[in-house]
Amino acid sequence: MRGGRGLAAVALVVAGGVALIGSATADWVTATRTVDIGEVPVPETRALEGTAFAPLAVVWGVLATVSGIALAAVRGRLRRLVGLVTLLVGVAAGAGIARGTVAALGLDAAIAAGPGVGALGVVAVLGGGALAARGDPAPRLSSRFDLGPDEDGEPGDEWALAGGDDEERAIEDRDDPESGTGPGSADEPPGGAEADEGGRG
């Protein structure tokens, strides 16, 4: 494959989408309180997931993942358009993650890993979208798998790959009387090989 930056854009956007989806199910805050069980105080830890702070994180993650897959399949202006859409998804996700983080910080609880995972997802989506929007090449197979044009400028075919110039030149020389190798050439006596043998006898 070639187009390293194109592959990087796809990988960043897809990874960012997965991270946003994961942030929705990860714990955002944890709080420990003490409850009495049979007059025995027992510490209890409770946690709130990302759905309580950024309920649209799953939607943003799915949109980013779909955009990343689309970036691997399109080129040219359409690829830049998908990159711009990806940037918009990243901006919306960033605003939502930021609001949720502020809300989590306002609670009397410890911040868990959820906001960090969501922030990383936003950065990855924005980075991949920016790479795609600036028109970086889409990933494609190496040029050795391409069928180049023939002498007339027409696209080549698989026969050109199978044969090659040496084989074509050998066929032409065999049929060309002036090449000195085919039938009727100057190196062959009149009448062919049988006449030559008769003259020797």
Side-chain angles (χ1 to χ4, degrees), residues 48-182:
L48 291 177
E49 296 181 349
T51 52
F53 300 95
L56 295 179
V58 173
V59 176
W60 298 323
V62 171
L63 289 176
T65 304
V66 172
S67 297
I69 296 173
L71 287 176
V74 297
R75 297 181 184 176
R77 294 181 179 178
L78 185 57
R79 178 178 172 82
R80 287 191 288 271
L81 178 60
V82 175
L84 291 175
V85 173
T86 304
L87 282 175
L88 293 177
V89 173
V91 170
I97 295 295
R99 286 195 302 268
T101 302
V102 171
L105 290 173
L107 299 178
D108 185 14
I111 300 297
V117 174
L120 288 176
V122 170
V123 171
V125 171
L126 290 175
L131 283 177
R134 54 183 284 200
D136 288 324
R140 61 189 298 262
L141 292 176
S142 174
S143 58
R144 68 173 179 270
F145 295 100
D146 295 338
L147 300 178
D150 56 19
E151 295 179 356
D152 297 329
E154 298 296 332
D157 54 22
E158 62 273 15
W159 295 107
L161 295 177
D165 294 338
D166 294 338
E167 184 175 345
E168 293 178 359
R169 189 177 299 108
I171 295 174
E172 292 175 357
D173 291 343
R174 185 184 62 191
D175 298 333
D176 187 3
E178 297 181 358
S179 64
T181 58

